[in-house]
Amino acid sequence: PDKYLEQIGTIAGWARTTRVQGNKKILFIELSDGSSFNTLQVVVDNAVENFEEILKSNVGTSFKVKGKFVKSPGTKQPIEMQVNSVEHSVEVIGTCDPGIYP
């Protein structure tokens, strides 16, 4: 994972979990592409253009995310992706009805 640190990249996958922190200023998405049991934490800042749309997402929503890989301050994962500038983006590819899934 270290070779990706401080690099801009694009990933896609499904939200295993989502949570809001800081009075709706930051959204955490635990993203999985299905290739392993491991996930990548995506930290989305409210400066992202479509933040309000992203806030409505829940488990099972599919995303395409462009952001910067950074060393995670947490102990659960070595790296995470930060989405916090105009060159970063989060595209909601498909939503998931929480009344049907999971």
Side-chain angles (χ1 to χ4, degrees):
D2 288 347
K3 70 180 180 179
Y4 299 109
L5 288 177
E6 302 303 317
Q7 301 292 316
I8 302 291
T10 301
I11 59 170
W14 296 267
R16 272 209 194 149
T17 65
T18 61
R19 67 182 170 89
V20 179
Q21 188 171 340
N23 199 22
K24 296 187 178 180
K25 293 187 178 190
I26 297 174
L27 175 66
F28 293 91
I29 303 170
E30 187 180 342
L31 202 66
S32 172
D33 68 358
S35 65
S36 75
F37 290 112
N38 296 328
T39 58
L40 179 68
Q41 178 167 269
V42 178
V43 183
V44 183
D45 186 89
N46 68 348
V48 172
E49 186 177 327
N50 59 336
F51 189 75
E52 290 300 318
E53 176 191 13
I54 301 163
L55 273 179
K56 297 174 188 172
S57 64
N58 51 8
V59 173
T61 299
S62 57
F63 294 98
K64 181 178 178 183
V65 183
K66 180 180 180 184
K68 186 177 190 178
F69 294 103
V70 297
K71 184 170 174 52
S72 179
T75 58
K76 292 184 178 180
Q77 65 276 332
I79 64 172
E80 64 186 27
M81 178 176 273
Q82 289 184 348
V83 182
N84 59 6
S85 80
V86 293
E87 63 184 21
H88 302 164
S89 63
V90 178
E91 178 185 352
V92 177
I93 296 172
T95 59
C96 186
D97 184 346
I100 298 171
Y101 178 85

